[in-house]
Amino acid sequence: MTGTSGGTLTTPILSTCGLALEKAIAIASATGLVTGSIATIGGILSGWHAPDRPSYSLGYVDVVIFVVMMPTVMISAPWGVSVGEKFSETTLQRTYAALLILVGLDLLRRLAF
């Protein structure tokens, strides 16, 4: 969650400050890596002595999910960059705005129900 929300805020702010969208997304990805790493370490430390956690977890971090997600992210990130380079900045901005709206609506739906 921290990595996603950091990128969700960082990209529009950098873009508003005049940075090209491609560069704003790249910087937001890097900040997402930092905040996500810090949040993961925090989840491990804060849940280390939590009762009833699965044996395959480190604190509140599920190692199985982590191991499954990492190769997927490593494979799909370069693909996403190459696809993004094929679009104009206007198309990227509109697509990103639509994605943010969908994520926001989904969060509101989950909150309401």
Side-chain angles (χ1 to χ4, degrees):
M1 184 67 170
T2 57
T4 302
S5 63
T8 302
L9 295 174
T10 305
T11 302
I13 290 170
L14 292 174
S15 183
T16 301
C17 292
L19 198 61
L21 187 61
E22 294 87 357
K23 290 184 180 182
I25 291 171
I27 291 170
S29 296
T31 60
L33 174 66
V34 172
T35 58
S37 298
I38 292 169
T40 301
I41 292 167
I44 291 170
L45 294 176
S46 65
W48 194 258
H49 297 292
D52 301 326
R53 60 183 178 90
S55 59
Y56 51 83
S57 67
L58 295 173
Y60 294 123
V61 175
D62 189 324
V63 175
V64 174
I65 292 174
F66 182 81
V67 168
V68 170
M69 281 182 56
M70 284 310 292
T72 305
V73 170
M74 300 292 278
I75 291 168
S76 63
W79 177 74
V81 170
S82 67
V83 169
E85 289 175 346
K86 295 177 183 174
F87 293 115
S88 69
E89 185 158 346
T90 303
T91 303
L92 281 174
Q93 288 174 336
R94 290 180 181 159
T95 304
Y96 189 70
L99 177 66
L100 289 180
I101 290 168
L102 287 173
V103 169
L105 289 173
D106 184 54
L107 289 172
L108 289 173
R109 180 189 60 84
R110 290 179 188 202
L111 183 64
F113 302 106

